[in-house]
Amino acid sequence: MLFNKFQNKYIIKGTLYALTPLHIGSGQENFDPVLADNTVIRDHKGIPYIPGSSLKGTIRSYIERILYSGVYKGLNSCLIVNEPCVSDDDIKKIKKEIKDKNLNDKKEAEEIYSKLCSVCKLFGSNYFASKIHIRDANLKSGEKVYIDMRDGVAIDRDTGTENNKYDFECVSSGSKFDFYMTVDNIEDELLEILKLIISILKNGDFRIGGKTSAGLGSIQLQEVKIYKITMDNLKTYLEKGLEALEEMEWENV
Ligand SMILES: [Zn+2]
């Protein structure tokens, strides 16, 4: 089955280009000018970057919304926070059934996996590791990055009026970051989601970080290179690296 043996690996790399300024702070989930830290997140050298976890989380929510709508036949999504596809109670039930039937752990894992929605199968759940990994997107080597200060206005929650002008930092548009994503042992039925991820990133509609409703955070994946590693070229990849492999057209993923 799927769980241990090497089957395939996709590597997608490219350049993330900031079409508009980006604000990715540590408090990006609740952009509250009073509570949040209004600086952008930086690496140990003080250079802004885009955390892989932010990219993955934002991509997942985007895909969840699309698949939850039912527009892709054969692919489904739960709402992981409010309506998970497999609840703790479901797990208890499955574990009991497996025990009653005297089946092994592998059967149990297969049974749980089969109940997961397409998005949890790919992005992981409480019970299965993610097949997708995205590295922190660091500034492209040789590129400069500029930080702009922007004015924001806080709305008073009680009176609904504007008060508290504040400043927040943005990474300027035109900044370029390295994108590197891997997908391990993906089943054919989920490839449509991988295509969707690449096309969403390529089309420039994708937004990340804070203040996206104000137009910030548009990024576009450019200079995309896609590699597929199978048993046929695994040795070449291990011995000679990615450059020795042939690129794939994304339409053929
Ligand atoms: Zn799910």
Side-chain angles (χ1 to χ4, degrees), residues 60 76-80 83-86 116-121 125:
R60 179 179 188 146
N76 61 342
S77 177
C78 67
L79 300 174
I80 192 72
E83 298 170 33
C85 45
V86 177
L116 294 176
C117 72
S118 313
V119 174
C120 286
K121 279 180 178 161
S125 71

Side-chain angles (χ1 to χ4, degrees), residues 34-95:
V34 184
L35 298 176
D37 174 8
N38 289 333
T39 57
V40 294
I41 192 163
R42 289 168 163 84
D43 66 16
H44 63 281
K45 290 183 196 148
I47 301 169
Y49 72 104
I50 308 175
S53 55
S54 302
L55 282 165
K56 193 176 145 191
T58 312
I59 293 169
R60 179 179 188 146
S61 319
Y62 200 115
I63 298 290
E64 259 180 28
R65 282 199 303 273
I66 293 175
L67 296 192
Y68 190 74
S69 75
V71 69
Y72 278 84
K73 291 210 168 23
L75 295 172
N76 61 342
S77 177
C78 67
L79 300 174
I80 192 72
V81 182
N82 301 315
E83 298 170 33
C85 45
V86 177
S87 67
D88 292 344
D89 283 347
D90 295 334
I91 296 288
K92 273 185 208 145
K93 225 184 275 171
I94 293 169
K95 288 192 179 218

Side-chain angles (χ1 to χ4, degrees), residues 139-159:
L139 189 70
K140 251 185 131 53
S141 82
E143 291 287 331
K144 284 204 165 61
V145 67
Y146 298 96
I147 308 272
D148 302 331
M149 289 303 284
R150 296 220 150 197
D151 297 326
V153 177
I155 308 291
D156 187 302
R157 285 185 188 135
D158 296 324
T159 63

Side-chain angles (χ1 to χ4, degrees), residues 128-193:
F128 278 93
S130 176
K131 291 171 187 284
I132 290 194
H133 296 275
I134 303 180
R135 288 187 188 166
D136 289 343
N138 293 311
L139 189 70
K140 251 185 131 53
S141 82
E143 291 287 331
K144 284 204 165 61
V145 67
Y146 298 96
I147 308 272
D148 302 331
M149 289 303 284
R150 296 220 150 197
D151 297 326
V153 177
I155 308 291
D156 187 302
R157 285 185 188 135
D158 296 324
T159 63
T161 54
E162 293 182 354
N163 62 2
N164 282 341
K165 290 222 184 296
Y166 64 97
D167 292 332
F168 62 95
E169 286 185 348
C170 281
V171 172
S172 62
S173 57
S175 303
K176 293 176 183 173
F177 300 88
D178 281 320
F179 179 80
Y180 194 98
M181 173 169 97
T182 58
V183 185
D184 290 292
N185 288 356
I186 187 172
E187 306 92 307
D188 287 349
E189 60 177 277
L190 301 179
L191 281 175
E192 209 55 43
I193 305 181

